[in-house]
Amino acid sequence: MSVERFHIHIADEVLVDLKRRLQHIRWPDQLENSGWDRGADLTYLKSLVSYWREQYDWREHESQLNRFSQFCCNINGIDVHFVHECGKGPNPIPIILTHGWPDSYLRYQKIIPLLTDPASYGGDPKDSFDVIVPSLPGFGFSSSPDHPGVNNYQVSEMWAKLMTKELGYGKFAAAGGDIGSGVTRYLASNHPELLFGIHLTDIGIIRDLLTSHEQVKLSEEELQYKKRALEWISLEGGYMSIQSTRPQTLAYGLSDSPVGLAGWIIEKFRAWSDCGGDLCQRFSEDELITHIMVYWLTNTIGSSTRMYYENSHSLPPLGYIKVPTGVALFPADIVLPPKDWAVRNLNITRWTNMARGGHFTAMEEPELLAQEIRAFYKPYRVEK
């Protein structure tokens, strides 16, 4: 299949079924005054579901999403959905942006116009990009793999084919966070000749530091990272353990209950964002529900969580990354990486501590991230 236009249209019967489920909920109880301490708060979730059932309009959001130029093509047997918006400038360079979990390609919805048309937002038209935002395999509108082994490495190979063979770019930029950070690093490791550079908003959990027993060889920063990361995994990493070991068991409940799905996702948006415990400080109800809807309407929560299993069981090791690398760290993100380790393992040419924001970088602070991406890639632009 060659590249084809893609248009979102969810069948009416799927929306009718969702409405029925939202009208017949069996709620659990919750300990008095426990709030979010033991997971998603009952009072908040009831309020969000009430809005979802009574006021949220999927067709309105579907129409807004269809304003983006969307496409689909088959790569390695998987139908890959992606946004492809061309830059409005004299010499845009292509950039592929890769999302993570539990967000979706919508992570980059706000930043796309800032990168394609910087002049309309106070920037320089010479800093424009052609922006490509794919949905990871098994996420949203991309089809799900029917075989094991589709991990960050395999996705990076798919992205190389998408950018070069399907879209015809000779060289391009790549950026990402969460799973997208891993995909981007494998892309840089295996295809450095294709990349101007890579830009990351995190480096994930650095497993080799956590398992290192040679404490004397670690810097003080690395030792502090190890302590913080192990504490975070102990307190917050339960979801990761389940998704890395028994994603299929989890999938039954989350695929059958929209409220169960909402609770699983919403807790992470609250815990990982720079919201100070108040989701409405960072996200509108519509924004959160639309992210949930992308999983619900496509029934891809099960296939999305399988990525954790594949990355835990089949990823090859990464060597030193020679491609110029920019890192932008948002202060409320999960366990910020030590610069010492990053410098030893990546060709760091720009390291920026951002003023605010959390894990969902392009959703929370699109302007700040867009400025940082433009600044990082500016030296690599070649005048035509």
Side-chain angles (χ1 to χ4, degrees):
M1 182 179 82
S2 59
V3 174
E4 297 181 355
R5 283 277 181 178
F6 183 89
H7 183 83
I8 303 169
H9 183 74
I10 301 301
D12 287 339
E13 54 263 33
V14 176
L15 300 178
V16 170
D17 174 71
L18 172 60
K19 186 172 183 179
R20 177 187 63 80
R21 291 169 186 263
L22 292 176
Q23 290 173 334
H24 298 86
I25 302 166
R26 185 169 73 166
W27 292 100
D29 64 356
Q30 179 169 315
L31 292 177
E32 186 176 352
N33 300 321
S34 61
W36 292 84
D37 293 346
R38 298 165 187 251
D41 177 63
L42 180 62
T43 300
Y44 174 85
L45 204 55
K46 281 187 172 181
S47 174
L48 183 69
V49 169
S50 175
Y51 180 87
W52 192 0
R53 182 178 56 238
E54 306 298 336
Q55 299 181 58
Y56 178 83
D57 183 354
W58 165 254
R59 292 299 183 204
E60 176 186 340
H61 291 280
E62 184 180 68
S63 176
Q64 291 175 4
L65 295 179
N66 279 326
R67 293 174 188 171
F68 289 112
S69 297
Q70 298 173 94
F71 301 87
C72 186
C73 69
N74 190 277
I75 304 175
N76 297 353
I78 297 171
D79 292 334
V80 176
H81 159 261
F82 62 97
V83 171
H84 187 190
E85 291 285 347
C86 294
K88 299 178 180 179
N91 186 24
I93 63 173
I95 185 168
I96 184 167
L97 305 175
T98 308
H99 67 84
W101 186 94
D103 50 84
S104 65
Y105 81 104
L106 299 184
R107 171 189 274 237
Y108 296 110
Q109 181 180 3
K110 297 175 186 175
I111 204 175
I112 291 173
L114 302 176
L115 295 178
T116 57
D117 188 15
S120 293
Y121 300 90
D124 188 338
K126 293 181 180 179
D127 292 334
S128 68
F129 294 83
D130 288 351
V131 178
I132 298 89
V133 186
S135 295
L136 288 163
F139 285 69
F141 301 109
S142 286
S143 68
S144 301
D146 60 4
H147 57 279
V150 179
N151 53 31
N152 287 351
Y153 169 83
Q154 294 296 333
V155 174
S156 75
E157 293 297 296
M158 294 172 65
W159 281 190
K161 290 182 180 179
L162 172 64
M163 295 298 284
T164 58
K165 294 183 178 180
E166 300 295 341
L167 299 181
Y169 291 116
K171 200 165 187 177
F172 55 93
D178 196 86
I179 291 172
S181 170
V183 170
T184 301
R185 282 179 280 140
Y186 275 98
L187 187 58
S189 178
N190 297 322
H191 298 283
E193 74 285 355
L194 298 180
L195 295 164
F196 295 108
I198 62 170
H199 190 272
L200 310 172
T201 52
D202 62 68
I203 306 179
I205 300 295
I206 304 171
R207 296 289 177 180
D208 63 345
L209 284 181
L210 302 192
T211 57
S212 173
H213 298 296
E214 300 178 15
Q215 305 279 10
V216 69
K217 294 185 179 181
L218 298 182
S219 69
E220 182 61 31
E221 185 186 23
E222 289 169 323
L223 290 171
Q224 288 300 314
Y225 170 85
K226 181 175 181 178
K227 179 181 178 182
R228 291 195 310 272
L230 290 172
E231 288 175 351
W232 184 87
I233 290 171
S234 175
L235 295 172
E236 299 284 348
Y239 81 98
M240 190 163 49
S241 296
I242 294 173
Q243 294 180 179
S244 298
T245 58
R246 297 295 184 269
Q248 188 66 30
T249 303
L250 178 67
Y252 296 112
L254 300 189
S255 295
D256 190 57
S257 168
V259 174
L261 175 64
W264 195 252
I265 288 177
I266 289 299
E267 187 219 323
K268 303 310 175 193
F269 271 91
R270 179 182 178 274
W272 300 350
S273 66
D274 191 10
C275 72
D278 183 2
L279 277 159
C280 71
Q281 295 298 315
R282 281 292 173 178
F283 312 105
S284 69
E285 291 171 313
D286 282 73
E287 189 174 12
L288 293 170
I289 293 170
T290 300
H291 263 87
I292 298 165
M293 289 288 277
V294 168
Y295 285 97
W296 178 261
L297 298 175
T298 58
N299 195 17
T300 53
I301 187 60
S303 52
S304 73
T305 59
R306 282 202 295 268
M307 181 69 90
Y308 281 75
Y309 186 97
E310 303 302 342
N311 284 337
S312 296
H313 289 78
S314 60
L315 266 182
L318 263 174
Y320 179 79
I321 291 175
K322 299 178 182 178
V323 170
T325 301
V327 176
L329 299 180
F330 291 74
D333 202 351
I334 302 165
V335 195
L336 302 181
K339 189 174 182 180
D340 294 342
W341 183 93
V343 168
R344 288 202 311 273
N345 289 274
L346 302 105
N347 178 17
I348 302 293
T349 60
R350 185 179 177 92
W351 183 276
T352 306
N353 292 306
M354 307 299 282
R356 56 190 179 275
H359 187 66
F360 305 100
T361 53
M363 293 174 63
E364 298 182 56
E365 294 291 344
E367 292 85 3
L368 288 183
L369 182 56
Q371 292 168 8
E372 185 63 19
I373 289 175
R374 288 187 215 134
F376 172 70
Y377 283 108
K378 201 174 190 70
Y380 306 106
R381 291 180 179 272
V382 178
E383 296 291 339
K384 288 184 177 177

